[in-house]
Amino acid sequence: MNKPKIILIGKNKNLLDLICFSLQTNFRFEIVRFVSILDVIEYMDVNTDFCLVISDFAIGEKQFSNTLKTFMDKKIDVPFFALGATKKFREKNENREVVSEYIGKKNILEDLNSAVEKYFSVDKSVEPKEFCEVGFSVLTSFEGLQTDLFIQLPTGRHLKIYRQEDQINDEDVSKYQGKGVDELFLHKKVSHWLLNTINKNIESVVDNIESNKPVVLQVEPPMPEVKVEEVVEEALDEKDLMSKLNEASEEENLNKIHKDINEIFEITEELEKELGEKVGKAVKAVQKVPHLSKLLKKLNVSRNGDDYCKSHVGLLCKLTTAICHIMDWKQDATIEKLVFVSYLHDITLSDFPHLARIQSKEELRKLGDKISPDEKKVFLEHPEVIKKLVDEMPEAPADASNIILQHHENCQGTGFPFGHSANRLLPLTAVFIIAHDLVSFIIDDPNWDMKVFAELASERYSGANFNKIVRKLKTLKLK
């Protein structure tokens, strides 16, 4: 669920930090900040998803007047709050009636909260958020502050980067901002506790901010007791932080890929649920074989979206299922078989993820001495090795081992291990090969285009089983 947006306009970053901290402690808004009226106009030209505009009069009377004129000319039907406008302006400006609320700076945060409550009601059906954003400038105002601090990863999860015993200082501001971390998060109980101290000293805090003087506040004991409900990881050091940020970014990219696939193949929530159940069934079957269970643990241990084997398997499960659905091959046994094959087809390469990226003998040849003789042997023999392992599994679906054996063959007969051409390959092998190639196409190009793949598929595949699938791919709603 998207949070309602507020446009906040002002030139003093520290004052905006303070206002944002108060609003996000007390409400559930997303705040979009601007320092220039030109940027505001540009934003309003393409966005209508905001519910309130708040502008600091200290941006300058001319800019403030232009903001009001733009607001009026565009006939924007949302409240407009003015912060710190002079009495003369309130009485004489021709567009003053556009302003819904004039809020002074003597008690700015509490008065602003009261004005917001006047225009917006709290949706009590929405679960209160556990963490609250806080700017570095707010944190460094408090001398001796010791509290756990978090960042929010692109996936929405939170990551602890400061422990309660750590001291926060100005050096941390530049250190973390240089790494793209502009906002930290506090537990909501702590943010209310700090905000209470700020509001007790609000006049001097705002005066110092607007005079470019340091704000120095003392924490008022006792600190509230905090119990974090969300399962939160911790960054052990800067290197670990950057690693986790990269992992989360890759995971977010992978989530976007899954979302795009869902739209193209019209995958419903019900189908997603069915797929999850079939993945669970396949995993249970693998876990009963000790050797394969160990390899499966290696596949599942990392959350890193850049873990090729794991992301590769997840996309294969989805795409083989999606292709079966557009082909109207929706029998449970068929889907379960392809999900099983998706998990097992490269299982012996879990220790060699760089080998799992290789798709053909030609790619292997081009890598030359980068791949050792032993690794070449592992790669070229893995379809046959895995087939033998699957044949010994009592719960393996019928023909699953043969699809695995054939998954590196191709229509032209230049694949391996046997060089079989299209007419020797099983119909579900055709599904798997096309899905496998599509996964590689997607992973190799962040800007992948399904229409481009469909055209390439027309040139790459031949034979009745392949041609049927290609024709269906061309009927999709291609982006």
Side-chain angles (χ1 to χ4, degrees):
M1 180 178 173
N2 292 329
K3 293 187 286 186
K5 290 181 182 176
I6 290 177
I7 291 177
L8 178 61
I9 308 164
K11 285 189 173 179
N12 191 312
K13 180 183 180 302
N14 290 355
L15 182 61
L16 298 189
D17 283 348
L18 193 66
I19 293 168
C20 287
F21 179 56
S22 176
L23 289 172
Q24 291 173 331
T25 296
N26 291 290
F27 306 102
R28 286 182 60 89
F29 292 108
E30 178 183 343
I31 300 174
V32 189
R33 295 158 56 149
F34 295 96
V35 298
S36 162
I37 180 58
L38 295 177
D39 292 335
V40 176
I41 293 170
E42 188 176 319
Y43 181 84
M44 288 180 173
D45 282 342
V46 294
N47 294 280
T48 58
D49 57 347
F50 52 93
C51 62
L52 171 64
V53 177
I54 303 172
S55 181
D56 184 6
F57 187 76
I59 60 174
E61 185 171 339
K62 185 176 180 181
Q63 279 227 55
F64 190 86
S65 299
N66 288 338
T67 304
L68 286 185
K69 186 173 186 310
T70 299
F71 196 82
M72 188 180 70
D73 291 346
K74 289 182 176 292
K75 298 179 179 177
I76 298 170
D77 189 23
V78 302
F80 186 107
F81 295 175
L83 306 179
T86 62
K87 182 180 179 183
K88 179 182 176 183
F89 181 89
R90 294 199 305 269
E91 291 173 350
K92 297 192 175 179
N93 187 272
E94 59 183 5
N95 297 317
R96 63 190 179 279
E97 308 243 340
V98 173
V99 178
S100 311
E101 296 286 333
Y102 287 100
I103 298 164
K105 292 186 175 177
K106 188 173 182 178
N107 192 30
I108 184 171
L109 300 184
E110 290 185 342
D111 288 349
L112 180 55
N113 287 344
S114 297
V116 170
E117 287 171 349
K118 179 177 171 182
Y119 288 85
F120 300 94
S121 58
V122 177
D123 184 353
K124 296 193 176 174
S125 67
V126 178
E127 192 76 20
K129 58 182 182 177
E130 188 172 9
F131 298 97
C132 175
E133 289 176 48
V134 58
F136 279 104
S137 68
V138 175
L139 285 170
T140 54
S141 299
F142 286 88
E143 283 195 336
L145 175 62
Q146 293 183 319
T147 182
D148 290 341
L149 287 170
F150 309 82
I151 60 170
Q152 188 172 48
L153 299 170
T155 54
R157 296 193 312 274
H158 290 85
L159 176 71
K160 187 191 292 187
I161 66 169
Y162 285 105
R163 300 181 188 89
Q164 187 168 335
E165 61 270 22
D166 294 335
Q167 197 73 35
I168 305 158
N169 53 55
D170 289 333
E171 289 178 4
D172 296 319
V173 177
S174 52
K175 179 174 76 174
Y176 282 108
Q177 285 181 332
K179 299 182 188 312
V181 177
D182 293 313
E183 295 290 344
L184 292 176
F185 286 75
L186 289 165
H187 193 275
K188 197 72 170 283
K189 282 187 177 180
V190 177
S191 65
H192 277 290
W193 174 58
L194 296 180
L195 191 59
N196 185 51
T197 299
I198 291 169
N199 279 321
K200 286 180 181 178
N201 301 276
I202 191 63
E203 257 193 284
S204 63
V205 168
V206 172
D207 284 346
N208 282 3
I209 286 174
E210 295 199 312
S211 305
N212 291 319
K213 295 177 182 175
V215 175
V216 181
L217 295 167
Q218 302 296 324
V219 291
E220 297 183 1
M223 180 179 172
E225 290 185 17
V226 172
K227 182 183 176 184
V228 176
E229 299 294 332
E230 180 185 323
V231 177
V232 175
E233 287 186 86
E234 183 174 345
L236 302 176
D237 51 36
E238 284 186 53
K239 185 178 179 182
D240 189 37
L241 169 64
M242 294 312 297
S243 174
K244 284 182 166 62
L245 285 172
N246 290 335
E247 286 177 13
S249 178
E250 291 294 340
E251 187 179 348
E252 180 67 7
N253 291 339
L254 189 59
N255 289 341
K256 183 182 182 303
I257 289 171
H258 277 277
K259 184 180 176 184
D260 290 342
I261 291 170
N262 288 352
E263 289 179 5
I264 292 168
F265 286 89
E266 298 182 351
I267 295 174
T268 62
E269 286 185 17
E270 184 181 356
L271 183 55
E272 283 269 33
K273 185 180 176 183
E274 287 178 22
L275 178 56
E277 290 169 355
K278 289 174 172 59
V279 166
K281 187 173 180 179
V283 169
K284 283 179 182 176
V286 176
Q287 286 172 336
K288 291 180 180 179
V289 182
H291 174 61
L292 293 179
S293 181
K294 287 179 184 177
L295 294 172
L296 186 66
K297 283 179 183 176
K298 289 181 181 178
L299 185 70
N300 288 331
V301 74
S302 172
R303 187 186 275 122
N304 186 353
D306 195 33
D307 183 332
Y308 176 81
C309 289
K310 186 176 178 181
S311 57
H312 173 83
V313 166
L315 289 171
L316 260 178
C317 288
K318 175 161 283 184
L319 285 169
T320 52
T321 301
I323 291 173
C324 282
H325 271 254
I326 64 170
M327 298 299 294
D328 210 24
W329 299 342
K330 300 178 182 178
Q331 299 89 341
D332 281 352
T334 300
I335 305 298
E336 285 172 10
K337 185 182 304 184
L338 285 166
V339 167
F340 180 90
V341 170
S342 296
Y343 260 85
L344 271 290
H345 74 290
D346 280 344
I347 194 75
T348 57
L349 302 183
S350 295
D351 288 327
F352 309 92
H354 59 296
L355 298 183
R357 291 178 178 269
I358 304 170
Q359 303 302 317
S360 66
K361 288 193 293 185
E362 179 61 18
E363 284 184 37
L364 182 66
R365 184 189 65 77
K366 287 180 180 178
L367 288 168
D369 294 340
K370 293 178 183 177
I371 306 296
S372 72
D374 285 345
E375 288 176 326
K376 287 177 184 177
K377 187 173 187 292
V378 168
F379 175 72
L380 292 171
E381 293 180 358
H382 80 273
E384 294 169 277
V385 170
I386 298 172
K387 180 193 184 317
K388 289 176 184 175
L389 291 169
V390 171
D391 282 338
E392 293 171 3
M393 294 175 64
E395 295 187 33
D399 269 342
S401 66
N402 288 321
I403 298 171
I404 289 170
L405 182 66
Q406 295 179 342
H407 80 276
H408 278 292
E409 303 287 0
N410 59 45
C411 299
Q412 295 75 34
T414 59
F416 67 94
F418 302 119
H420 289 164
S421 55
N423 62 344
R424 299 279 301 275
L425 304 180
L426 297 169
L428 290 185
T429 296
V431 172
F432 191 82
I433 287 174
I434 290 175
H436 198 278
D437 286 349
L438 179 52
V439 168
S440 298
F441 180 80
I442 290 169
I443 289 176
D444 288 344
D445 184 3
N447 300 311
W448 67 282
D449 187 325
M450 189 66 200
K451 187 174 182 180
V452 172
F453 180 81
E455 292 302 320
L456 290 173
S458 297
E459 301 169 10
R460 182 180 297 170
Y461 307 117
S462 60
N465 292 327
F466 288 87
N467 289 337
K468 286 177 191 174
I469 299 168
V470 172
R471 282 196 295 271
K472 281 289 185 181
L473 290 178
K474 288 188 170 183
T475 67
L476 294 171
K477 181 178 67 179
L478 302 178
K479 66 171 186 172

